Amino acid sequence: MSNATFSEIAQALREHNSFIIMSHVRPDGDAIGSQLALGHALEEMGKTVHYINEDGLPENLAFLPHSDRIVQPQGEELDVEVAIALDCATKPRLGDNALKAASKAKLWINMDHHKSNPGYGDLNFIDSSSPATGQILYNFITAEGLPLSDVTRDSIYVAVSTDTGSFQYSGTTVETYEMAADLVRRGLDVGGINAKTYDSHPYRRVELTRRLLNTLEMADDGRLADWRLVYKTQEELGLKPEDSEGLIDMIRAIQGVEIAVFFEELQDGQIRVSMRSKNKAVDVCEVAKMFGGGGHTLAAGIRTEGTLEGVREQVLAELRKRLDACA
Amino acid sequence: MSNATFSEIAQALREHNSFIIMSHVRPDGDAIGSQLALGHALEEMGKTVHYINEDGLPENLAFLPHSDRIVQPQGEELDVEVAIALDCATKPRLGDNALKAASKAKLWINMDHHKSNPGYGDLNFIDSSSPATGQILYNFITAEGLPLSDVTRDSIYVAVSTDTGSFQYSGTTVETYEMAADLVRRGLDVGGINAKTYDSHPYRRVELTRRLLNTLEMADDGRLADWRLVYKTQEELGLKPEDSEGLIDMIRAIQGVEIAVFFEELQDGQIRVSMRSKNKAVDVCEVAKMFGGGGHTLAAGIRTEGTLEGVREQVLAELRKRLDACA
């Protein structure tokens, strides 16, 4: 797979009139922000745009302008010429209903920053050196002189800010900060948009944090931290999938902790395990694989049958073994 | 008071050889970062520099390169020609021992971004449009061609990042992001320095968060949130002053909360109250003044005699009255 050029992609956008724009299931800020950023540029060019996401718009991103246009596919086949997949590493991760909605498209465009993206479009632009798909879109839109409306500006900022942990992660580049400077120059309300992005949680998320902290256990001289969530608590608090997003960072950030683990009982009785490692010598992906899961060296997950306590005991025993081996 | 020019200040630095650099008591990232940033530039120019802070170096900033040079004054009068106060709104906030250490200085330089700074130096540079003193120093150092070593680079970044909530607060400007871009261009390790700044808390801070959350109370239909800390808990956990820094933001960020309050029993038996408002119609400074405190419309504090429960009852009653008046 080789990348198309920005001008080839821009040409394709100009030559067509109807578009479906999609992103990955369980969408985050970069997914939704990218959909809105490019979609609104197309609308400003007079095109018809359908914003489809398999799981719809998460409540915590509903502050984004124009986000009410993001809808869940209802099993219909949309009459569109072009399908655009953004920030989505594989085609199946767009979701079955979204794929059905896009099935009449004659041309597929695929823009992403995930290294593992195989390039499933007719025109692909994959740049894993970019910390967010939103940053690729900023480069694309400014290079090709496409419209950069207030909606596009705010959406790009939120896409990049959320995917870089507010300009903190190692993928953040000179271009990322220069882009932010330019967006402020274009009128972005920095204080306002960040307050909406980061300083506005439903009460249930704080209550969830409290419940989780009350189950926190430290082992192996503080090198291993874990907390857990039973399904009953999720029901009681009326939790949504995005409510627990990022909370594991709170225990990963404890000084001395090398492995942080989150055990969660799901509605179907399965157990989900999220693991984070700060020690490259302890590959949590290897442990995940032993239980049928997968991921990366420093961040991996499992979804398995069993009881919360049973799975917890087994996984922690395996992690302790590996921690002790590199003590 | 009118500002000196950057070149007048640079001239004064070049003409002298021995310096004491100070900042405010209970120093934060902008205070310590500014001291190290300018101090190391002077050292690179061959000058002798004493880095003095009344309260010493907080543990959470000990990762900063060269920070072991920050010392508490021991009651001595240092043999220096020039005293430099950074990020410190008033002279007394430098601390009595720091002032004594600086007493032999013949020339005072005062650089700050606090609006209320009266200009207590012989040469002053106060710019309240800057979100951090670190950003003023960046402008100064680059404009005057002073040495910008790795120590200065990292210190400036941490100063500005911490004072802008990681580039989020409304004071963040085009220049802030452009500065960050330039510091990355100069070799800053973005991922590394942010991990040290934000992702490394002592366990006791997480335990403190747990204890605070367990006292969280919501009133007035979720418009008023408060939590409290008894002195016994602080002793039990071996808390340091910086451990509670910023924690109030967690409850301020709850959707629907307009006022967040933190009640804290101090070692001397006094009660400290921190208040945050998200509603400009509820001026927490007015309430603070009723109890002998002060601050700003949206962030104010009190230190008063009384019992934790007694002060809490009185302050919350006053806040509820004002909330109800603008319901």
Side-chain angles (χ1 to χ4, degrees):
Chain A
M1 194 273 304
S2 71
N3 278 340
T5 63
F6 276 165
S7 70
E8 284 166 343
I9 295 174
Q11 170 99 357
L13 299 183
R14 289 195 183 95
E15 281 171 355
H16 295 89
N17 289 305
S18 57
F19 298 83
I20 174 173
I21 301 198
M22 297 164 287
S23 186
H24 61 77
V25 295
R26 292 190 66 149
D28 56 11
D30 195 22
I32 298 292
S34 293
Q35 288 187 258
L36 293 169
L38 185 58
H40 203 257
L42 288 168
E43 286 194 68
E44 293 277 296
M45 293 160 72
K47 315 292 186 182
T48 302
V49 178
H50 298 270
Y51 302 82
I52 297 289
N53 192 287
E54 185 79 6
D55 291 331
L57 178 71
E59 199 179 296
N60 63 331
L61 293 167
F63 70 86
L64 277 169
H66 215 55
S67 62
D68 54 339
R69 290 288 305 280
I70 304 259
V71 295
Q72 280 187 284
Q74 301 296 326
E76 74 288 24
E77 298 182 356
L78 295 172
D79 232 349
V80 294
E81 298 164 287
V82 181
I84 304 180
L86 300 175
D87 196 45
C88 189
T90 68
K91 209 165 170 179
R93 259 178 76 73
L94 294 166
D96 290 342
N97 288 325
L99 285 170
K100 189 170 177 203
S103 58
K104 287 188 173 172
K106 298 282 176 283
L107 182 75
W108 273 73
I109 296 174
N110 168 19
M111 301 178 84
D112 188 19
H113 74 125
H114 291 99
K115 203 181 190 161
S116 56
N117 191 312
Y120 51 83
D122 300 306
L123 294 170
N124 298 288
F125 194 91
I126 317 301
D127 177 7
S128 65
S129 76
S130 188
T133 300
Q135 187 168 321
I136 297 173
L137 293 177
Y138 169 80
N139 292 338
F140 172 62
I141 287 168
T142 51
E144 294 301 316
L146 305 186
L148 207 161
S149 66
D150 291 1
V151 171
T152 294
R153 176 197 67 204
D154 288 6
S155 301
I156 287 173
Y157 183 86
V158 171
V160 176
S161 166
T162 53
D163 245 32
T164 57
S166 197
F167 307 98
Q168 289 181 16
Y169 299 158
S170 57
T172 310
T173 62
V174 170
E175 291 71 32
T176 313
Y177 288 117
E178 283 177 341
M179 181 204 79
D182 183 46
L183 297 177
V184 177
R185 212 179 282 115
R186 290 170 187 266
L188 180 89
D189 170 11
V190 183
I193 204 157
N194 280 300
K196 289 174 190 158
T197 308
Y198 297 107
D199 291 343
S200 180
H201 299 303
Y203 173 73
R204 60 176 190 273
R205 183 176 156 107
V206 175
E207 180 60 24
L208 169 62
T209 307
R210 188 178 80 82
R211 304 281 186 111
L212 286 170
L213 280 171
N214 282 330
T215 72
L216 173 59
E217 292 194 27
M218 307 286 289
D220 252 45
D221 296 323
R223 300 169 70 201
L224 180 60
D226 84 284
W227 60 19
R228 54 196 182 276
L229 180 61
V230 295
Y231 183 67
K232 195 168 132 276
T233 301
Q234 300 175 52
E235 242 180 352
E236 249 176 68
L237 303 181
L239 295 186
K240 306 205 170 179
E242 68 263 26
D243 288 333
S244 59
E245 208 171 90
L247 286 183
I248 195 172
D249 289 338
M250 188 175 218
I251 56 172
R252 192 182 61 85
I254 297 172
Q255 278 163 13
V257 164
E258 295 172 36
I259 311 285
V261 197
F262 183 3
F263 296 96
E264 191 181 356
E265 199 178 48
L266 301 178
Q267 184 168 16
D268 62 8
Q270 290 203 307
I271 308 301
R272 180 161 60 204
V273 186
S274 307
M275 297 180 282
R276 297 288 182 276
S277 174
K278 291 197 281 190
N279 180 346
K280 280 176 194 149
V282 183
D283 182 341
V284 286
C285 185
E286 275 180 28
V287 176
K289 282 181 185 160
M290 292 176 61
F291 295 87
H296 311 277
T297 309
L298 301 183
I302 300 166
R303 193 183 273 243
T304 182
E305 304 291 335
T307 64
L308 191 70
E309 286 310 321
V311 172
R312 177 170 179 267
E313 206 167 292
Q314 284 180 294
V315 171
L316 292 185
E318 196 53 49
L319 289 168
R320 266 197 307 269
K321 204 191 297 172
R322 281 152 199 264
L323 275 170
D324 294 346
C326 65
Chain B
M1 190 274 303
S2 70
N3 277 340
T5 63
F6 276 165
S7 70
E8 284 167 343
I9 296 173
Q11 171 99 359
L13 299 183
R14 289 194 184 96
E15 281 172 355
H16 295 90
N17 288 306
S18 56
F19 298 83
I20 174 174
I21 301 198
M22 297 164 287
S23 185
H24 61 77
V25 296
R26 290 190 66 148
D28 55 11
D30 196 22
I32 297 293
S34 292
Q35 287 187 260
L36 292 169
L38 185 58
H40 203 256
L42 289 169
E43 286 193 68
E44 294 277 295
M45 291 160 73
K47 315 291 186 184
T48 301
V49 178
H50 297 270
Y51 301 82
I52 298 289
N53 191 288
E54 185 79 6
D55 290 331
L57 178 71
E59 198 180 293
N60 62 331
L61 293 167
F63 70 87
L64 277 169
H66 215 56
S67 62
D68 54 337
R69 291 288 305 282
I70 305 258
V71 294
Q72 280 187 284
Q74 302 297 326
E76 74 288 27
E77 298 181 357
L78 295 172
D79 231 349
V80 293
E81 298 163 288
V82 180
I84 304 180
L86 300 175
D87 195 46
C88 189
T90 70
K91 208 165 171 177
R93 259 178 75 74
L94 294 167
D96 290 342
N97 287 325
L99 285 170
K100 188 169 179 203
S103 57
K104 288 188 174 173
K106 299 282 175 283
L107 181 75
W108 273 73
I109 297 174
N110 168 19
M111 300 178 85
D112 189 17
H113 73 125
H114 290 98
K115 203 178 189 163
S116 56
N117 192 312
Y120 51 83
D122 301 304
L123 294 170
N124 298 288
F125 193 90
I126 316 301
D127 177 6
S128 65
S129 76
S130 187
T133 299
Q135 186 169 321
I136 297 174
L137 293 177
Y138 169 80
N139 291 338
F140 172 62
I141 287 168
T142 51
E144 294 301 317
L146 304 186
L148 207 162
S149 67
D150 292 0
V151 170
T152 295
R153 177 196 68 203
D154 289 5
S155 302
I156 287 173
Y157 182 87
V158 170
V160 176
S161 166
T162 53
D163 245 30
T164 57
S166 197
F167 307 98
Q168 289 180 17
Y169 299 159
S170 59
T172 310
T173 62
V174 170
E175 291 70 34
T176 313
Y177 288 117
E178 282 177 341
M179 181 204 80
D182 184 47
L183 297 177
V184 176
R185 211 179 280 115
R186 291 171 188 264
L188 180 89
D189 170 11
V190 183
I193 204 156
N194 280 300
K196 288 175 191 157
T197 307
Y198 297 107
D199 291 343
S200 181
H201 298 304
Y203 173 73
R204 61 177 189 272
R205 182 176 157 106
V206 175
E207 179 60 24
L208 169 62
T209 307
R210 188 177 81 80
R211 304 281 187 111
L212 286 170
L213 279 171
N214 282 329
T215 72
L216 173 59
E217 292 194 29
M218 309 286 290
D220 252 43
D221 295 322
R223 298 169 72 200
L224 180 60
D226 84 284
W227 61 18
R228 54 196 183 276
L229 180 62
V230 296
Y231 183 68
K232 194 169 132 275
T233 302
Q234 299 175 53
E235 242 181 352
E236 251 176 66
L237 303 181
L239 294 187
K240 307 205 171 180
E242 68 264 26
D243 289 332
S244 60
E245 209 171 272
L247 286 182
I248 195 173
D249 289 337
M250 189 175 217
I251 58 173
R252 192 181 61 85
I254 296 173
Q255 278 163 13
V257 164
E258 295 172 37
I259 310 286
V261 197
F262 183 3
F263 296 95
E264 190 182 355
E265 198 178 50
L266 301 178
Q267 185 168 16
D268 62 8
Q270 289 203 309
I271 307 301
R272 180 161 58 203
V273 186
S274 308
M275 296 180 282
R276 298 287 182 276
S277 173
K278 290 196 282 189
N279 180 346
K280 280 176 193 151
V282 184
D283 183 340
V284 288
C285 185
E286 275 181 27
V287 176
K289 281 179 184 159
M290 293 176 60
F291 296 87
H296 313 275
T297 308
L298 301 183
I302 301 165
R303 192 184 274 242
T304 181
E305 304 291 335
T307 64
L308 190 69
E309 286 311 321
V311 172
R312 177 170 179 269
E313 207 169 292
Q314 285 180 293
V315 171
L316 291 186
E318 197 52 50
L319 289 168
R320 265 197 308 269
K321 204 189 299 170
R322 281 151 199 265
L323 275 170
D324 294 346
C326 65

